[in-house]
């Protein structure tokens, strides 16, 4: 098993939506802070990785939500680098409330990207050893993402403040584009219970993305399907299951 | 003098722009958290004010920046309700670095808004007493804001996550619209030294705002002038002085 790291966090008013529950964009931004802190503590900061000409890129999240933390609530965010193979690193995040209940589980896949040619690099012992995660042969496949069929869409321009210190669009911003299309009436009356999202290509400053979606109402569940596209190029895809508030 | 309250804060990667300095939208969001925490501690939380049918609204900020905090830096944010008259409450915020240097001073004006009719309410002893701020007769006028002349503009749609638990657009979001229009080349090579911003009307969900600006290059200084408008209605105006990085 890998080393675990836990960061306490108090959910701020600006992390909440109109229902005073933590938004997915805020949750993902804060969660990634935990892995950045752990990496820095282990001498594997973004600066160190950058000095090797590499950078971490997240390729997908699978998020299971028992309940969303509320504004003002004190939570613990725990992370562990679970396992890795030649190209992929699998990292989990857990959010627990003060009573120790698991609110959220996030499974993620990280890859190393060569900053010059934007190609995937293999995971070296040098980089990964301090995390003490398990070396595996198998490539873990995440749940298949269903395509959008009869889509509606909105356009979003990448804004200057969407770009972070790593020079690319912060992953959390994609959730803003993915979800905003669903609109006030839907978002204020539903909350996500399961999210499966895959990042295919990196959106850059100057891009105008189209956020496509459709809503599938099954007997037992409500599901939305999403694609972030520019023209016929796919940048990000997601399936989200919802429950009524 | 009023009661002071200080909140320690560590600048997160998501608070920073590509230059790894804290952005104005993040700074304002975090700063307001300090006054919310103080109010809650004094038994004057947003919920309490809401139970009286009222809500705080910020009408302007005057921000003086010696230097912007950096990602990873530990800062102290201090706030004090300085003084008040019949309708206006004047509150200061200071950001200090670990060495005790003043990085930022923010002077702000708050008013109480009746939540039903959106009219300004007078400041009662009941609400203001715990802050121990000085009662004054005078209305403090902030520096005059110059109008935009030959403006360019971009449109921004209000997004679901721009609306906070108080049901309106978080003040910090206006800074995103105000600044984003200046573009990558300008923003990555300049930093603000003085900001004077006035909020005239409340933007709501569903609105599409136009962010107008012009750039005035003087001999000694570089200044940008800003207006957030919808049609011929003015919602927000600002003047910002800059220096090259």
């Amino acid at each position: 098993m890998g080393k675990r790291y836990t960061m306490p966090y108090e959910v701020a008013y600006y992390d909440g939506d109109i229902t005073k529950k933590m938004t997915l964009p805020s949750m993902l931004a804060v969660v990634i802070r935990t892995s950045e802190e752990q990496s820095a503590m282990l001498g594997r900061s973004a600066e160190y990785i950058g000095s090797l000409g590499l950078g971490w890129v997240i390729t997908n999240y699978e998020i299971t939500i028992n309940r969303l933390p509320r504004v003002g609530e004190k939570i613990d965010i725990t992370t562990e680098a679970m396992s890795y193979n030649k190209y992929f690193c699998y990292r989990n995040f857990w959010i627990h409330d003060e009573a120790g209940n698991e609110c959220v589980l996030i499974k993620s896949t990280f890859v190393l990207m060569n900053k010059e040619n934007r190609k995937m690099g293999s995971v070296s012992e040098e980089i990964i050893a301090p995390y003490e995660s398990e070396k595996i042969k198998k490539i873990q496949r995440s749940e298949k993402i269903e395509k959008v069929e009869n889509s509606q869409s909105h356009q979003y321009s990448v804004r200057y403040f969407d770009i972070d210190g790593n020079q690319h669009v912060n992953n959390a911003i994609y959730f803003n584009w993915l979800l905003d299309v669903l609109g006030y009436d839907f978002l204020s009356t539903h909350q996500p219970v399961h999210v499966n999202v895959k990042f295919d290509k990196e959106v850059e400053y100057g891009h105008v993305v189209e956020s496509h979606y459709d809503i599938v109402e099954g007997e037992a569940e409500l599901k939305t399907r999403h694609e972030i596209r520019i023209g016929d190029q796919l940048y990000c895809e997601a399936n989200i299951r919802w429950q009524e508030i």
Side-chain angles (χ1 to χ4, degrees), chain A:
Chain A
M1 281 309 197
K3 277 191 183 145
R4 288 201 171 194
Y5 176 78
T6 297
M7 178 182 89
Y9 186 75
E10 184 174 331
V11 182
Y13 81 92
Y14 47 75
D15 295 319
D17 64 11
I18 63 152
T19 71
K20 302 203 180 186
K21 294 203 194 75
M22 196 174 196
T23 68
L24 286 183
S26 278
M27 186 188 293
L28 271 301
V30 173
V31 144
I32 292 308
R33 187 172 168 181
T34 322
S35 59
E36 294 218 342
E37 284 191 8
Q38 186 191 35
S39 293
M41 276 179 53
L42 297 175
R44 295 295 176 270
S45 65
E47 288 70 31
Y48 169 81
I49 303 295
S51 73
L52 305 174
L54 300 167
W56 287 111
V57 170
I58 296 163
T59 60
N60 62 278
Y61 289 118
E62 202 187 310
I63 309 171
T64 307
I65 300 158
N66 293 320
R67 77 169 179 85
L68 290 166
R70 287 183 304 273
V71 168
E73 203 175 343
K74 289 189 172 78
I75 56 176
D76 274 336
I77 306 168
T78 299
T79 188
E80 179 183 335
M82 307 298 288
S83 59
Y84 69 102
N85 51 42
K86 191 175 178 195
Y87 291 109
F88 299 97
C89 296
Y90 305 105
R91 178 182 278 281
N92 283 8
F93 300 91
W94 296 266
I95 298 178
H96 289 93
D97 63 19
E98 276 196 293
N101 300 309
E102 184 180 302
C103 299
V104 181
L105 164 64
I106 303 173
K107 297 182 177 182
S108 66
T109 307
F110 284 65
V111 299
L112 282 166
M113 188 82 92
N114 182 304
K115 294 210 284 188
E116 287 296 319
N117 60 20
R118 309 309 288 171
K119 289 218 167 96
M120 223 158 73
S122 61
V123 179
S124 70
E125 268 308 306
E126 157 114 38
I127 288 174
I128 207 73
Y131 298 96
E132 296 178 13
S133 59
E134 189 190 359
K135 187 166 192 172
I136 58 174
K137 286 267 155 76
K138 223 180 119 208
I139 290 175
Q140 294 183 11
R141 302 276 172 207
S142 56
E143 204 181 314
K144 204 174 169 315
I145 296 181
E146 288 178 31
K147 305 289 291 173
V148 166
E149 279 171 23
N150 301 303
S151 79
Q152 294 182 273
S153 73
H154 291 267
Q155 289 196 327
Y156 297 91
S157 295
V158 178
R159 299 178 184 175
Y160 181 71
F161 293 123
D162 297 339
I163 315 277
D164 63 22
N166 301 324
Q167 312 287 323
H168 49 234
V169 176
N170 188 316
N171 262 211
I173 304 294
Y174 288 76
F175 284 89
N176 207 318
W177 301 330
L178 287 169
L179 297 175
D180 186 60
V181 290
L182 297 170
Y184 189 101
D185 291 345
F186 186 96
L187 291 170
S188 59
T189 55
H190 294 82
Q191 65 180 42
V193 291
H194 190 267
V195 181
N196 189 10
V197 59
K198 189 160 164 262
F199 302 99
D200 300 291
K201 272 171 81 79
E202 292 181 279
V203 175
E204 288 164 30
Y205 183 78
H207 283 167
V208 179
V209 303
E210 300 144 27
S211 179
H212 293 259
Y213 72 104
D214 64 6
I215 301 180
V216 186
E217 287 186 75
E219 264 182 43
E221 63 169 21
L222 183 63
K223 184 167 63 184
T224 56
R225 303 185 292 201
H226 303 262
E227 287 172 22
I228 306 285
R229 293 188 217 146
I230 302 174
D232 58 4
Q233 291 268 8
L234 187 60
Y235 280 75
C236 174
E237 50 200 312
N239 286 172
I240 308 177
R241 294 204 306 270
W242 300 85
Q243 69 186 16
E244 275 189 70
I245 298 176

